[in-house]
Structure formats: structure tokens, C-alpha cells
Amino acid sequence: MRELDSHMPPVSVLTTTVGHTDDARRLAQDAVRHRLAACVQVEQVTSHYVWQDAQCEEPEWRLVFKTLPFNVQALVRWLKSAHPYELPQLLVREEQSSREYAAWVEDRLKV
């Protein structure tokens, strides 16, 4: 494995959750197809929360979208319109990555 550079370019990571596997698959495939994300990881989780004064424990699917900082706003706008939840979780963070991975992400976002 190659050692990471001292200058590691940023990759933006956006996470959200949905309640059904079909929604997770649709959002993941559409984001990659429309070049809003280079890849999307989907994993099943159990969420505990309070919604409308009720304690909830629900299976959900967490989607982790990999994109670049310049593309985050477009991805967020698209998710707000395509997401099945009334109030979707949309969390964004910036991660450092290897130059090679950031270059791959950038290449996947090009139209």
C-alpha cells in the first residue's frame, strides 16, 4: 500500500438514512448515474429517535455519498427533492483522502 501524501485533498461525505431498501437502492443508483456522487455505500442500521412525541426504534438504511466540495450543494438540492422523508437527515463532512482516490472521485463527477 502506498503511503499517503502530506497534502491530502478533500472528499466530501454526505450521509442520510431511509426506511426501505428500495429507496436506498434508488437514491444510490440515481446519484451515481447523475454524477452527483462517485460512489454510495449502503448499510443497514437500527435508529432510535423521538418523532412526533413517540419513541421510535426502526430499521433504516444509511447511505454514504462520496463527492467533492464543489458538488455538495447540487447533491443536497437533489436529495431534498428525491428523498422520501419529510425531514431527511443530511449530514456533510469533509475528509482527507489520498490524491489517487480524490482524482478518481473527480473523474466520476465529470460530465
Side-chain angles (χ1 to χ4, degrees), residues 69-80:
F70 76 84
N71 212 39
V72 168
Q73 289 306 315
L75 177 58
V76 167
R77 276 193 306 275
W78 175 78
L79 274 170
K80 284 181 176 180

Side-chain angles (χ1 to χ4, degrees), residues 59-77:
E60 288 189 300
W61 284 259
R62 178 174 36 225
L63 291 91
V64 181
F65 298 80
K66 310 301 183 2
T67 193
L68 291 179
F70 76 84
N71 212 39
V72 168
Q73 289 306 315
L75 177 58
V76 167
R77 276 193 306 275

Side-chain angles (χ1 to χ4, degrees), residues 34-85:
H34 297 302
R35 297 185 178 264
L36 295 166
C39 84
V40 183
Q41 295 168 319
V42 178
E43 53 197 358
Q44 190 169 6
V45 297
T46 301
S47 294
H48 299 261
Y49 57 95
V50 175
W51 181 250
Q52 299 176 343
D53 297 324
Q55 179 76 33
C56 302
E57 178 181 338
E58 300 288 337
E60 288 189 300
W61 284 259
R62 178 174 36 225
L63 291 91
V64 181
F65 298 80
K66 310 301 183 2
T67 193
L68 291 179
F70 76 84
N71 212 39
V72 168
Q73 289 306 315
L75 177 58
V76 167
R77 276 193 306 275
W78 175 78
L79 274 170
K80 284 181 176 180
S81 68
H83 204 288
Y85 284 2

Side-chain angles (χ1 to χ4, degrees), residues 10-36:
V11 169
S12 295
V13 178
L14 184 147
T15 60
T16 192
T17 56
V18 295
H20 301 284
T21 188
D22 290 342
D23 289 327
R25 182 178 296 111
R26 174 181 58 81
L27 291 174
Q29 290 176 349
D30 287 352
V32 170
R33 183 179 310 112
H34 297 302
R35 297 185 178 264
L36 295 166

